[in-house]
Amino acid sequence: MDTDLSSQDRKDLDKFIKFFALKTVQVIVQARLGEKICTRSSSSPTGSDWFNLAIKDIPEVTHEAKKALAGQLPAVGRSMCVEISLKTSEGDSMELEIWCLEMNEKCDKEIKVSYTVYNRLSLLLKSLLAITRVTPAYRLSRKQGHEYVILYRIYFGEVQLSGLGEGFQTVRVGTVGTPVGTITLSCAYRINLAFMSTRQFERTPPIMGIIIDHFVDRPYPSSSPMHPCNYRTTAEDNAAVYPSVEDSQEVCTTSFSTSPPSQCVFTVTQAHFQTPLPVVTDTLKVPMMGLGFSHQLSSSRLSYQPAALGVGSADMGYPVVFAGGLNAAHPHQLIVPGKEGGVPLVPSQPPHAAQADQERMAMCTPLDGAHYSAATPSSSEDTETVSNSSEAKSGSPHDILETIFVRKVGAFVNKPINQVNPPDSPETESPLLGSLHSEGSSGNSTGNTHDDFVMVDFKPAFSKDDILPMDLGTFYREFQNPPQLSSLSIDIGAQSMAEDLDSLPEKLAVHEKNVKEFDAFVETLQ
Amino acid sequence: MNCRSEVLEVSVEGRQIEEAMLAVLHTILLHRSTGKFHYKKEGTYSIGTVGTQDVDCDFIDFTYVRVSSEELDRALRKAVGEFKDALRNSGGDGMGQISLEFYQKKKSRWPFSDECIPWEVWTVRVNVVSLANEQERQICREKVGEKLCEKVINIVEVMNRHEYLPKMPTQSEVDNVFDTGLKDVQPYLYKISYQITDSLGTSVTTTMRRLIKDTLAL
């Protein structure tokens, strides 16, 4: 069989197949990063772009691919497979796709290696680019972030499709005949997510606190470790941005684009991969029950973030606000008093509406674009009173509440803090109450805070007004008027104290009368 | 040789026309474009690099890959824009088709002009539906997205049959096969034309209505 092929052709063919395999892996993994990919055309050949296509090489991915291949090439019975799976913040994982690069025995002796095979491999890569955007896992990967991440694993040998569940579908990307066999590229993908992937995520209201354990343990131990589909340029960031290849289950999510892909903000240029900006506001739309994942909502999100990631929050480009709290030893705590100290999300409010936006933007920028000013209304009403009220407040309770509030931004509301009922007697305004009413009257003012203003149309900035019933605006409206804490109610306290003082002389008189009884009692004790 | 002809059909809402057409046309042209040829001595040539980029649709839950060439994108947008305007202005049932034809030029002797011989024609038949409310639109977004996924798979399937492609030309012939006018990529010579179908009669209308109902399954 090989005698028909010249040694030069054979060498060329082997090289083509090897680089084709490496480029295939790059295309697949890059398509699951959760970002839009963009590379530039170049009219002059650079000499380094295999198959005349500008496909960036992520070093870690190349390393993994080479490791899996271990110097071999795809051949009959030896396929190169890229497994794409999803892993939730709770640690459940599920295989989504298996991309297979196989070789069969059907040879095409007549074909010209250096020309036709090369061009057809190039065409096949283009097809792969197109098909990777079309399988259900693509849309899932674009929404990865808080609740789940997408991982990849490369292995070489026999194709293992059993992890895809029943009824998986196959799409053939294409074939290229060569003198030593026919190269086939195909994808088998899980089907029972397909209808859920778009609709359910965006429409199903969240169901709180239910853990559903759908997923069976992987039938075979992974021969190769799973890796997250993400990338950061090491030049920009601190060291150890990328989990080492030995860490099998560490996930490092960078993409927080939870807005619909049409509004994805991430573009990868050829020069460097930009750090994706975490955008928290739209986490309401993150896939939830549709995938049957566990949903310890706010706590899971908190715990999932830096703590589960095994990467310092700074590496994630996480907002400063989270950095303090989420690295705490108890990520499930919602309230971490004092630990966020020094990072009040709602600093003194800007006095003017115009500045409000700028301030918000300025706040957001160091927070990498995340929007947290739930406590700050987008409307310009009463921003002056806002500044007054917040400044008048005492330190720590204010901070705590704001922290809680911040954490709730963009999160599903499972109402751990039951302050839904309107206050019974908002005669006196406690400091806490005042701080929640960021548009409310200035501190210590009496009178019903409801009467101070009427919120006509509350459209909080940077929040999505979506199909989900609970959005930022609704959340804000609902939690706007929490009831007073009775212990902080000054009147009641003052009242009881006065009463106590008044009744003291009487009580003393009574006790004096009963002195003898008391003495007798004391003697019995001795 | 025989001209290969492929037909794709989509039902879209008015504002989805452009994106759906661009998605299909760009996917086809991605496969039918190469890097710029640079001819060297002795008949050899080198090929430039084709970059790609993802494009998210605003009105459809879909992302497609196109060649990174602003000139090509502009040309396609212009053609699709004209098609969309014609479709909207036609009234009637809002049916039409846009064709992307790849051809080769065959030089003829004077006084005959050059012949354009098509070798592959892609036709996209479009049916425009109007929707009543936001919920229907949302469903349409997803459905059309799924349909376009199917179309991309169809296109890729055809492309990978490795059927007739013009021979790689010599330097003197390159303009007969490729469009060398773009500065960063080199698609095969192509032309885009469209045709608006007037309502021809009830039978056609009924068929299309049935198609709409099936597609949207409301």
Side-chain angles (χ1 to χ4, degrees):
Chain A
M1 196 165 36
D2 287 348
T3 50
D4 293 341
L5 204 59
S6 74
S7 66
Q8 182 57 43
D9 275 350
R10 184 65 212 241
K11 262 197 233 165
D12 286 345
L13 186 60
D14 286 347
K15 213 167 32 157
F16 294 169
I17 295 176
K18 175 185 162 192
F19 280 97
F20 179 75
L22 295 177
K23 287 294 181 182
T24 295
V25 175
Q26 289 287 350
V27 168
I28 294 168
V29 173
Q30 287 176 28
R32 299 288 174 263
L33 288 178
E35 306 166 351
K36 285 206 296 196
I37 304 294
C38 177
T39 56
R40 272 205 217 118
S41 302
S42 161
S43 65
S44 328
T46 59
S48 61
D49 290 321
W50 274 92
F51 308 105
N52 310 117
L53 282 174
I55 298 171
K56 188 118 183 148
D57 281 326
I58 301 178
E60 287 82 0
V61 175
T62 305
H63 173 70
E64 281 305 307
K66 283 184 175 165
K67 219 170 66 158
L69 286 172
Q72 297 174 49
L73 289 176
V76 179
R78 286 202 319 256
S79 310
M80 190 190 74
C81 300
V82 181
E83 179 190 292
I84 300 291
S85 60
L86 180 150
K87 186 172 171 183
T88 67
S89 51
E90 270 70 42
D92 296 319
S93 69
M94 176 165 62
E95 278 176 37
L96 296 177
E97 300 173 321
I98 313 268
W99 296 83
C100 307
L101 179 59
E102 299 169 292
M103 182 83 101
N104 70 27
E105 287 147 347
K106 189 174 162 196
C107 302
D108 184 346
K109 305 278 189 197
E110 309 299 322
I111 202 168
K112 288 203 180 110
V113 169
S114 63
Y115 166 72
T116 311
V117 171
Y118 189 82
N119 286 337
R120 287 187 181 177
L121 288 174
S122 174
L123 194 72
L124 189 51
L125 272 178
K126 290 174 183 170
S127 298
L128 182 64
L129 280 163
I131 297 283
T132 44
R133 273 67 174 169
V134 144
T135 53
Y138 179 72
R139 304 196 70 73
L140 285 176
S141 70
R142 287 294 295 269
K143 294 176 183 171
Q144 68 182 296
H146 286 287
E147 299 298 323
Y148 63 92
V149 281
I150 304 293
L151 308 178
Y152 74 94
R153 179 172 80 95
I154 308 171
Y155 63 89
F156 193 72
E158 269 195 45
V159 183
Q160 299 155 9
L161 295 177
S162 51
L164 292 174
E166 281 181 15
F168 61 85
Q169 281 196 3
T170 312
V171 60
R172 194 163 79 163
V173 183
T175 60
V176 173
T178 77
V180 301
T182 299
I183 296 170
T184 308
L185 188 53
S186 60
C187 172
Y189 57 93
R190 175 179 283 271
I191 196 64
N192 52 9
L193 278 187
F195 80 97
M196 289 178 177
S197 64
T198 49
R199 287 204 212 166
Q200 300 290 92
F201 302 160
E202 292 174 28
R203 299 237 210 101
T204 309
I207 302 174
M208 326 290 182
I210 299 172
I211 301 173
I212 292 182
D213 220 334
H214 272 330
F215 311 117
V216 183
D217 283 343
R218 196 175 287 280
Y220 353 75
S222 301
S223 54
S224 55
M226 300 295 301
H227 299 282
C229 287
N230 78 339
Y231 177 71
R232 278 179 166 249
T233 169
T234 49
E236 283 179 350
D237 268 305
N238 321 328
V241 164
Y242 217 78
S244 66
V245 288
E246 286 76 35
D247 288 340
S248 58
Q249 294 293 328
E250 286 298 323
V251 294
C252 180
T253 170
T254 59
S255 167
F256 287 88
S257 166
T258 51
S259 52
S262 62
Q263 295 170 34
C264 175
V265 293
F266 309 143
T267 304
V268 176
T269 64
Q270 204 175 20
H272 60 270
F273 282 73
Q274 290 174 4
T275 304
L277 306 175
V279 174
V280 179
T281 53
D282 213 19
T283 54
L284 293 169
K285 292 181 64 177
V286 169
M288 302 298 285
M289 285 310 292
L291 286 177
F293 297 144
S294 65
H295 303 296
Q296 291 171 350
L297 291 163
S298 34
S299 61
S300 74
R301 188 168 297 110
L302 296 176
S303 66
Y304 180 52
Q305 284 172 355
L309 294 178
V311 184
S313 63
D315 297 331
M316 307 301 302
Y318 261 79
V320 177
V321 173
F322 277 176
L326 292 180
N327 276 332
H330 305 286
H332 288 272
Q333 282 179 7
L334 294 177
I335 304 169
V336 187
K339 287 198 177 162
E340 283 75 28
V343 192
L345 182 69
V346 185
S348 53
Q349 301 299 321
H352 301 290
Q355 248 186 32
D357 283 338
Q358 283 177 3
E359 193 98 342
R360 205 172 301 115
M361 285 313 291
M363 262 198 315
C364 285
T365 312
L367 304 182
D368 284 320
H371 165 66
Y372 294 96
S373 52
T376 311
S378 62
S379 60
S380 57
E381 298 167 43
D382 298 324
T383 44
E384 287 193 349
T385 49
V386 171
S387 67
N388 290 341
S389 65
S390 65
E391 277 161 15
K393 296 302 163 285
S394 55
S396 61
H398 180 69
D399 282 343
I400 289 174
L401 263 178
E402 282 179 340
T403 306
I404 296 168
F405 211 72
V406 163
R407 286 230 167 92
K408 286 290 158 261
V409 171
F412 278 110
V413 181
N414 61 357
K415 303 178 186 173
I417 306 156
N418 278 320
Q419 297 181 345
V420 185
N421 307 319
D424 296 327
S425 56
E427 300 299 321
T428 345
E429 194 168 331
S430 68
L432 284 170
L433 192 59
S435 69
L436 271 182
H437 293 260
S438 46
E439 302 145 314
S441 48
S442 53
N444 301 328
S445 68
T446 57
N448 200 332
T449 46
H450 296 292
D451 295 332
D452 288 338
F453 66 94
V454 172
M455 210 192 290
V456 175
D457 191 16
F458 181 40
K459 282 194 162 59
F462 308 112
S463 88
K464 287 214 58 73
D465 198 13
D466 260 325
I467 305 161
L468 274 180
M470 183 69 77
D471 66 357
L472 187 57
T474 319
F475 168 81
Y476 185 81
R477 271 190 287 274
E478 252 192 82
F479 290 98
Q480 198 183 13
N481 296 316
Q484 283 189 37
L485 289 177
S486 56
S487 57
L488 293 172
S489 169
I490 299 166
D491 268 347
I492 297 169
Q495 229 171 347
S496 56
M497 183 103 125
E499 272 172 25
D500 283 343
L501 284 171
D502 285 342
S503 62
L504 263 180
E506 289 170 304
K507 284 186 187 162
L508 280 173
V510 167
H511 291 322
E512 274 185 21
K513 273 191 210 162
N514 301 332
V515 154
K516 282 182 192 163
E517 283 180 34
F518 287 130
D519 287 343
F521 173 71
V522 167
E523 277 177 14
T524 59
L525 292 173
Q526 284 171 354
Chain B
M1 88 304 298
N2 289 328
C3 173
R4 196 163 53 236
S5 174
E6 305 292 336
V7 178
L8 304 164
E9 290 190 30
V10 283
S11 279
V12 294
E13 200 206 353
R15 59 187 186 166
Q16 295 172 322
I17 298 172
E18 277 189 89
E19 286 180 337
M21 294 304 101
L22 283 170
V24 169
L25 296 178
H26 268 303
T27 303
I28 296 169
L29 274 164
L30 169 69
H31 291 81
R32 292 285 179 249
S33 300
T34 73
K36 297 281 290 179
F37 281 12
H38 296 274
Y39 285 94
K40 299 181 239 182
K41 291 178 197 166
E42 293 148 16
T44 59
Y45 61 93
S46 59
I47 310 179
T49 303
V50 173
T52 58
Q53 59 188 75
D54 290 334
V55 182
D56 289 332
C57 295
D58 292 326
F59 301 110
I60 313 173
D61 287 347
F62 188 67
T63 301
Y64 61 92
V65 182
R66 70 166 173 91
V67 163
S68 287
S69 166
E70 293 311 316
E71 285 175 278
L72 187 61
D73 189 39
R74 269 199 300 271
L76 287 188
R77 280 182 188 273
K78 183 159 175 280
V80 165
E82 285 171 13
F83 172 64
K84 183 198 86 172
D85 292 337
L87 208 51
R88 300 278 224 159
N89 297 336
S90 70
D93 290 340
M95 274 165 33
Q97 61 184 45
I98 191 167
S99 294
L100 172 60
E101 178 188 298
F102 293 101
Y103 65 95
Q104 267 179 269
K105 265 196 240 170
K106 190 173 167 190
K107 294 257 190 262
S108 299
R109 288 195 196 164
W110 186 87
F112 303 105
S113 56
D114 293 340
E115 260 185 280
C116 290
I117 306 171
W119 52 270
E120 190 175 74
V121 179
W122 294 84
T123 304
V124 188
R125 293 210 184 117
V126 182
N127 178 57
V128 183
V129 299
S130 32
L131 301 172
N133 61 47
E134 199 53 44
Q135 195 179 3
E136 283 181 26
R137 279 197 194 99
Q138 182 61 32
I139 296 174
C140 192
R141 267 186 85 100
E142 293 162 10
K143 285 259 180 185
V144 173
E146 286 164 21
K147 275 283 165 204
L148 287 177
C149 290
E150 285 174 31
K151 300 306 157 198
V152 166
I153 295 176
N154 293 346
I155 293 169
V156 162
E157 199 190 346
V158 170
M159 295 296 181
N160 273 273
R161 284 186 210 150
H162 301 302
E163 291 169 341
Y164 173 80
L165 278 181
K167 260 194 323 196
M168 283 298 150
T170 57
Q171 190 168 10
S172 55
E173 297 278 303
V174 71
D175 289 313
N176 293 341
V177 176
F178 287 102
D179 178 354
T180 52
L182 303 173
K183 69 176 194 317
D184 42 16
V185 294
Q186 193 173 285
Y188 282 100
L189 279 172
Y190 71 92
K191 58 172 109 150
I192 299 179
S193 56
Y194 62 83
Q195 197 182 329
I196 307 297
T197 318
D198 293 328
S199 62
L200 299 171
T202 23
S203 59
V204 176
T205 319
T206 328
T207 316
M208 288 317 294
R209 283 222 185 95
R210 221 183 307 123
L211 261 175
I212 300 161
K213 285 205 178 108
D214 290 345
T215 312
L216 293 178
L218 294 169

